[in-house]
Each structure stands twice: as structure tokens, then as C-alpha cells.
Amino acid sequence: MKEHYIGEGERRHVGGLIVVGLILVLLLFSSHFIASTFVDYGWWSEMRQLDTWLNLILYGTVPTVLAVILLFGAFWTAFKLGVRHDGSGPVLPRATNLLISRVALLALALLAIVVANITVDSWTVVRYFGGLRLPVSHAYIDPIFGKPLEFYFFGLPFYNLLLRVVLAGAFISLLIFWLSSQILELGRRLPTAYSQGHFNLETDLRWQKIFDSSFGRIAVALLLVGFAAKFYFNRYGLLTQDHGSYLVGIDWVADHLVLPLQWMMICGAVLAAGLVLSRHSRMALVLLLLVPIRYIIPSLITAVYVRPNELSLERPYIVNHIEATRSAFGLNHNLKETTLEARSEIPIDYQKDKPLLDNVRLWDWRAFLATISQIQPLRPYTYLDSDVDRYHIDGHLRQVLISARELQISQLGEAQNRWINTHLEYTHGYGIVMAEANQITPDGLPVLFVKDAPPVVTTPSLKLTRPEIYYGEVAHEPVFVDTNQPEFNYPSGGETNHTRYSGTGGISIASPLMRLAAAIDYSDFNTLVTGYLTPQSRMMIRRSITERVSTLAGFITWDSDPYLVLTNSGRLVWILDGYMMSDAHPYSRLIETASGIDFNYIRNSVKATVDAYTGETNMYVFDPNDVLIQAYWRLFPNLFKPESEMPADLRAHARYPETLFSAQAEIYRSFHMRDPETFYNRADLWDIAKTSTKQGESAASTIAPTYVVATLPGEEKPEFMLITPFTPANKDNLIGFMSARCDGSHLGELVFEQLSKQNIVYGPMQIEARINQDQNISKDLTLWNQQGSQVIHGQTLVLPIENSFLYVAPIYIQASQASMPQLKKVALAMGNRLAYADTYEQALSELISDIGGNGAGLQQTTSQGTGEEQPISSTGVPAKPAPANAAASDAAQRLQQVRDHLQRYRDLNAQGKYAEAGKELEAIQQLLK
């Protein structure tokens, strides 16, 4: 047989095919990454934040890459010096040496990558450089070391990161040096290592080789100097050490003993490094005796001297703790603390307190959400949440509840499995429902300002011109708009109303390359082959509000509850609060949250807006004094805008966020005590007031912060604010309340009113107990709960009114078969007075009459089932008709009541509530008698 020899040309051809094959395999495995990057480029271009995207990539990779290079250089140097250090034994063949070097090169490169990723946090490095040379902050200087916040937020984490890299690099380099110095010995023994069925690699480890070489001594000395630096930086860690309920930070023992002993450890480590360099390594081991001294002496002095004299010794440190915590949670500026000589009850002047009394929120947001889901159903849309806001309607500031009607794709049933439906046709939510917070229909349902589809707006003060919601709290993706397929808008009788997108949101999908990238990125090749896409079509991604802002600024902690605003032009825009948090504030108490985020510093530094139609996103800095946002603003100059650039109609709806408010309330219940002795003894500890929502419920929950429209003491203009009440620890009477102002230039101001301890003022739990114990109320609640329906208690509102408090407890009833709460009764209380009626107006009139107030101007409905209003006299009692017409008026009133009861009988009978309908018949019989 004739042998075939491969020529040079054929060899090159085969080599070329191999290279092409390798490139194709590489492209195949990296195709998803390439496609995702291409889609990301389109999205960041849509957001007009390409420079931010590039900065994010650079900031996230450059520090780690630099660390990899430095670590690899140290590891490779250690390896080469280790190999050269031991020349004993036979010389290995050149091919073996070359193989060992190549394997070592690859292994050390991988090791450097692993170590760098473990030890380096790129954002710690980036924040450090972003925080350099910031304007000098006078907000807080720690009282022990005299360092500003910038040092603890930026400098100290960066220095500890560098130290971590140095220590890890020095230790691993030392280990590599020793191992590589044993390579020749291992190579000599390997051929004879296997005998008698097992390996035997007995060899002299020769640890002393490390100290025999200059490299080894330098590496060990570097380790010791690194430990000295670690001891030095550990001093600052004492500022966040928790000593129990009375103190966080450096205490007397740390100040007088631990810090000097820490310097002893620092000097000892530096001295040990010098001994190693001077070839006195054994003497350096003696310095290890300093370690037990550092920990034994402070514990001994604490037990013998400090504990018996704790308060007198710790007093100045407790003061440091109190002031630092108040500063960290924003409780030392932009606030007002006063004492309120509160009375349990006062006469109510309706005209004087009209802004508060006309904006009492009768609808609990949970009951409202369940009700509108029944009275405003529209498939396949749903209501996920309800938010409280304020609008100027008909010339008055009104508190409203607003819910977005968002698309829930699961309501399509089997149709959700069709690609056209989920990507082309069902693309967006539609419209909102807005209701006045204190208005109820005769049937116990909310009065709607905005309702139905297409939108019906019942007041000229509002308009809704762009109801489509393409960006919301929940969204599926991707969706394609401006295609050949009309988009579903809303059902209209037996037909369907469609629309076509005309905004600027989304990424252009005209390019075949972009379509291919989208198909690969979402593993959906329908995008590539569908004929519905046109050159004008756009692809919308990251439509969830939280995901959208988190992608833009993931270094900000975003509130989980965005709220929707109806602008003056009729557009829908989401507003979302962003927080800058840290756990590194000196002397500050740490808050542990259920979500797993622990912090001892918080600021509401940023508010983001997202247009529900176009997805346009803007971020506005509302706290430019926050050192954290200053650093990030410098790193991403085009990402943020000053507060002054927020449009006026959106700025009018900015509010104090509940998350920040709740954190401050939790801190304030302890840290309102400024006297160190009182604080140490927990003598005036408060709790946030508690409430229960079910009759007879033993377990109580903390009352949620409440948005109200009210007038603060000393102010004349009604305003939107967030309030929460306090009670003494383990007691139920009120001891104080906290309010956060939201309007105009007052946004962010806190007001704390501590109640005088001489006058006992009821808390919400006590009011709820009185309501449940009232014979008439208890009888009604028990009866309703036994007739196939369920009674729901709304959260009891505690509303400041002059120097007293008004308590409002709405009571709802819903059928067991359908979750549609209806407002059944309203209970109002002040002091020992309790009013219980069908409507809020009736209850208020009764309460005003009972306590001798002035109800002039108040109008009330005669019953739950009528919309007719009856004037109230100046004493709060219904005005009496003229004597000549008394009989006619009484007859007309009774006739109207019969009609009302008859109408309610028909409504209840239609709803299947036969027991309640029977009561209406009994009422009619009584009236006829």
C-alpha cells in the first residue's frame, strides 16, 4: 500500500479549519452573553444613559482586574524564587521544567482570579474615589477619633479592603514559595514513591527554608506589618460594638484600656516584623504572649470595677450614643420637639377644624382595594395596590385613594399560552380608579372621581388623557408595540377597543441584528420569524418599575411600593423613593429589618419618576447633604438631577416615605430620652401604638403610619402629612405622636409632640376595647357575623385635633361569598365620648352634640340609604322645623325613611342577604306603627 503524506498546504488547511471551528464553538457558548449585551446597549440607549452603563461596567471590573494583575505578579514571583531557592537534587529535564512552568502559570493565574474576586469589592474601591475631596461635611464628627462620616463610609472600608488583599496575597505567596521550593525534591521522589501498594512521599518539609531566604523573610514581615495595620483599623470597629440596650460604640473600658492595649498589639506586630527581618524569628514568637493580655485585662476590669459603677462611668459614652443615633436617622435637624398639654376631650368646632374633619379617611386601603376589585372589574386587568395621596379638587385640598388597573396576564387562561396574545396584543394596563377618602355612597361604597373604561372623570379639577399603563408594578416582557397587531385596550359591550402605541418607549426592533439578539437573549425565536413586526416596531423590556430603577441605580435601596400620580396634563407617572443606607455610622444603633437589610444610617436621598406610557425615568436628589449620594452623584453625573428640576405637578405629590418614617419612629421611641440616666434605666421607653382589626382579637399589631390632611398646632393652613402615635412601654394610653410634613418647602420636616403625663389620653387599643364592649355595637357586630357575612374593622385612626385627639373606627361588612366590603357603620370617639352611626356625618354630629361643640356648617345624611342632607344647627343638633309645619315635616321624614328602608330591602334581597333584608322589613313595620 502506498503511504499518503500530508503536505504543507493540507496541514495549513486543516489548521485553518480547526481555528474556524474553535471560533464557532466560542461564539456558540458566548452567544447569549453577546446577545444580552447588545440588548442592554439598546436599552441603555433608550434611557439616554450610555455613559452610566459604561461607567458601571468599568467601575465593576477595573478594581478586580488590577487586583488580579498584582496578585498574579506576586504569586509568579514567589513561584520562580521558590524554584530557584533549592538547587539540591537532580536537575529535571527541560521538557519537564517547561511543562511545570506552563501548568504553574495557568494555575497561578486562576488562583489570582479567585483570590481577587473573594477579597475585592469593586464598589468599595469606587466609592472611595467618588468620596475623595467632597465638600467638608459638618453633619457628624465622631467624638473619639475626630473623623467625619466620609472616613467611615468610604475611607475605612477601602483601607480594610487593601489590607485584606495584602494579607491574602502575602500569605498565599509565602505558601507558593515554600511549595515551589519543594518541587525538585518531590520530582526526585515521585518515580520511587509507589511501593507495596501505596504512596510513600516521606520527605523533609524544611519549613526553615522560608526564613533562610530574603523573599520568605520579607513576606513574613509583610504579613506581620499587615496584622499591625489590621490592629490599627480595628480600633475604629469599636465604634459600632454593641454593649446592649444602653450603648453602642466605645465605652469606658474600650477608651481607657482597649485602645492602649490595641497600640501595644500594633507595636508588638511591628517589632516582630523587625525581628524576622533581622533573622531573630524565634524571638518574635515570644510576642504572642501579648494576645491573651489584650483580652483578659479588659474583661477582668469590667467585672471588678466597671459593673458596680456602670452609670457614672458610662454617662459620657451614652450621650455620644444618643446624639450619634439621632444624627444617623435624621432626628437632630429639620425637626421640632414640643410638649402638648393634651386633654382627653375638647369641644369640636366644625368650621375651625373643617380641613381635618372633611378629609378623615373612612376607607382602609385594604377594604378599598377589595371593594373596587368588585365594583370596577375589567378583565384581564387587576388592582394590585392602593395608595393615599392629595389633590386640589374643586378648590379644596382633598385626600384620595388611587389604584392602577394593571394587566394580569394569568387572567387570559389558556389564551396566555399564545405568543401573539402575550407579546403583541395584551401589552399594557389601562386607567385608574380614584376615590375621595372620606366619601361614601348610600350603599356604603366609595365615591369615585375617576372610574370605568374608557375613563370617566367626575370632576373638572382632574383629567386623564393617557390612561394606558405600559410600565407598572408588575409586567411581563418582552412586549412589542406599534406592530401589525392592534393592542387590546378594554372590552366595550360585545366588542373590543384596540389601540396602537404612539410613544417613544422601547427599543427599535427594525434591525435584523437586534431581532436576532432579542431572540437569543429571551430564547424565543418567534421574535425572529414573526411577520407582525414592522420597521417602526419597538420592544419594551424592564417594564417593572422596581426593576427599571434598580437596573439604573442598583446601589440605591428602592422602596418596594411605588405610587401613581395623575399629572395636570392627564398623564400617569410613578414616583418611587430611594434610600441611601449604611451600617457603618459610629455610635449608632443598628435596626434589623424583616427584609434582611440592617442599617444604622438612612436618608431618603432620591426620588425617581417613571412615565407609565413612555417609561421615561428621572432621578432627583432630595437630600444633597447626604455624603453617600454626593459620592454617587460624582461617579454618575448624568444619572441624577437636582430636586429643583422636578416638574411642579409631580413635586406637588412628593411625600415623606413610610419606610423612613417607620425607621425614625422605631428609633425615636427610645432616643427621645436625651438624659443619659433616664436612657440607661429605660425609664421613659415608648412603644408605637397598637391596634387590632378583628372583634375579640387578643393579638395586636403595630399601628401603621397614616397619611392625613390636617393642620398642625400653631399652623393655619391644612396640609398633607404622615403621622403615628406612641404609647408608654407596655401600656395603651397615648404619650406622644410624630408627624412628617409633606407639602412644599416643608417636605421632610418632623414634628414630635410629647403629651403631658398629668392628663391621661386614651390610645387606639383602649378605644377599640370600648367599641367592642359597647352593648349596641357588640350586638350589631355579633349579629352580622352570624348571618353569612363578616365584619371587618378598619384601622382606628388617631387624628390630632388642636390639643386633643379624635378617633375614627370605620366598620365594614362583607358577604362570605364575595370579598366586597361595604362601609356599614362609623364609630367616633374623643375622651369618654363615643358616637356610633350609619354615616360619618351622623356620628360626627352626634359626637359634637355630646361634647357641646359647634357643628355649624356640617351636613349629614339622614340614613345610610339616602343621599338627602339635613342641616345642623349651631349646637350640632339637627335644626327643628317651624312649629306650623312640624306635623307635615315629620310625616314627610317618616315617608322618606320608609322609602329608604324599602330600597335597602330590595338591594339586600338581590344580594342574597335575606336576614338583613328581614331587618329592613321590621324597620318599615315599626315606622308604619
Side-chain angles (χ1 to χ4, degrees), residues 130-131 134-135 137 139 149-150 153-154 601 603 623-632:
L134 285 176
S137 171
L149 281 182
E150 292 90 320
F153 289 168
F154 309 128
Y601 172 92
R603 292 291 186 272
D623 189 355
N625 295 321
D626 170 36
V627 295
L628 288 172
I629 200 60
Q630 288 178 16
Y632 283 112

Side-chain angles (χ1 to χ4, degrees), residues 20-37 520-521 523:
V20 171
L22 290 174
I23 293 174
L24 290 176
V25 171
L26 181 63
L27 287 175
L28 179 63
F29 279 100
S30 61
S31 60
H32 190 274
F33 171 77
I34 295 172
S36 178
T37 302
I520 296 174
D521 190 27
S523 301

Side-chain angles (χ1 to χ4, degrees), residues 43 46-47 381 384 405-410 412 421-430 468-481 487-488 501 505-507 522 538-552 562 564 574 576 609-617:
W43 186 80
E46 173 202 351
M47 305 302 294
Y381 299 118
L384 299 174
R405 192 183 289 117
E406 298 202 58
L407 178 66
Q408 189 173 48
I409 204 69
S410 61
L412 294 177
N421 287 344
T422 55
H423 293 80
L424 303 178
E425 184 170 3
Y426 294 91
T427 57
H428 59 276
Y430 188 84
E468 293 86 1
I469 301 175
Y470 284 87
Y471 300 85
E473 292 191 68
V474 62
H476 65 285
E477 60 183 53
V479 298
F480 301 92
V481 296
E487 300 170 49
F488 175 86
Y501 186 74
I507 308 167
Y522 289 94
R538 307 182 71 81
M539 178 177 69
M540 290 183 174
I541 61 174
R542 298 190 178 116
R543 300 196 300 140
S544 166
I545 301 302
T546 305
E547 181 189 5
R548 197 170 187 82
V549 296
S550 296
T551 304
L552 280 170
L564 197 58
W574 297 93
L576 186 60
T609 63
V610 180
D611 190 291
Y613 189 71
T614 65
E616 180 184 351
T617 304

Side-chain angles (χ1 to χ4, degrees), residues 327-376:
S327 175
F329 286 87
L331 297 175
N332 64 344
H333 67 283
N334 207 21
L335 83 164
K336 177 182 178 183
E337 293 177 291
T338 61
T339 299
L340 181 66
E341 295 295 333
R343 297 171 56 189
S344 59
E345 62 183 57
I346 61 170
I348 297 177
D349 187 334
Y350 174 75
Q351 286 295 337
K352 182 178 180 181
D353 299 309
K354 193 175 188 297
L356 169 66
L357 298 175
D358 281 355
N359 279 283
V360 169
R361 178 153 61 93
L362 300 179
W363 277 103
D364 184 274
W365 71 267
R366 290 170 289 265
F368 176 77
L369 187 63
T371 299
I372 64 170
S373 297
Q374 296 293 328
I375 66 174
Q376 284 280 293

Side-chain angles (χ1 to χ4, degrees), residues 95 240 247 365 390 449 483 503 545 670 712 741 873:
T240 55
L247 179 62
W365 71 267
R390 74 288 197 191
F449 284 138
T483 67
I545 301 302
S670 301
L712 285 170
R741 306 176 74 177
S873 69

Side-chain angles (χ1 to χ4, degrees), residues 469-528:
I469 301 175
Y470 284 87
Y471 300 85
E473 292 191 68
V474 62
H476 65 285
E477 60 183 53
V479 298
F480 301 92
V481 296
D482 199 5
T483 67
N484 289 327
Q485 171 64 46
E487 300 170 49
F488 175 86
N489 232 15
Y490 56 87
S492 178
E495 299 179 354
T496 298
N497 180 275
H498 289 88
T499 187
R500 289 189 181 277
Y501 186 74
S502 59
T504 58
I507 308 167
S508 174
I509 203 74
S511 166
L513 191 59
M514 179 60 78
R515 291 177 65 172
L516 176 62
I520 296 174
D521 190 27
Y522 289 94
S523 301
D524 184 1
F525 283 88
N526 288 306
T527 305
L528 196 60

Side-chain angles (χ1 to χ4, degrees), residues 85-137:
H85 182 64
D86 188 5
S88 62
V91 178
L92 297 177
R94 180 177 179 182
T96 304
N97 281 330
L98 185 60
L99 177 62
I100 291 175
S101 295
R102 289 179 176 177
V103 171
L105 182 69
L106 179 60
L108 294 178
L110 292 175
L111 180 62
I113 292 172
V114 171
V115 173
N117 279 279
I118 292 174
T119 57
V120 175
D121 175 21
S122 296
W123 283 106
T124 298
V125 179
V126 170
R127 275 194 301 268
Y128 171 73
F129 288 102
L132 287 177
R133 295 184 298 278
L134 285 176
V136 178
S137 171

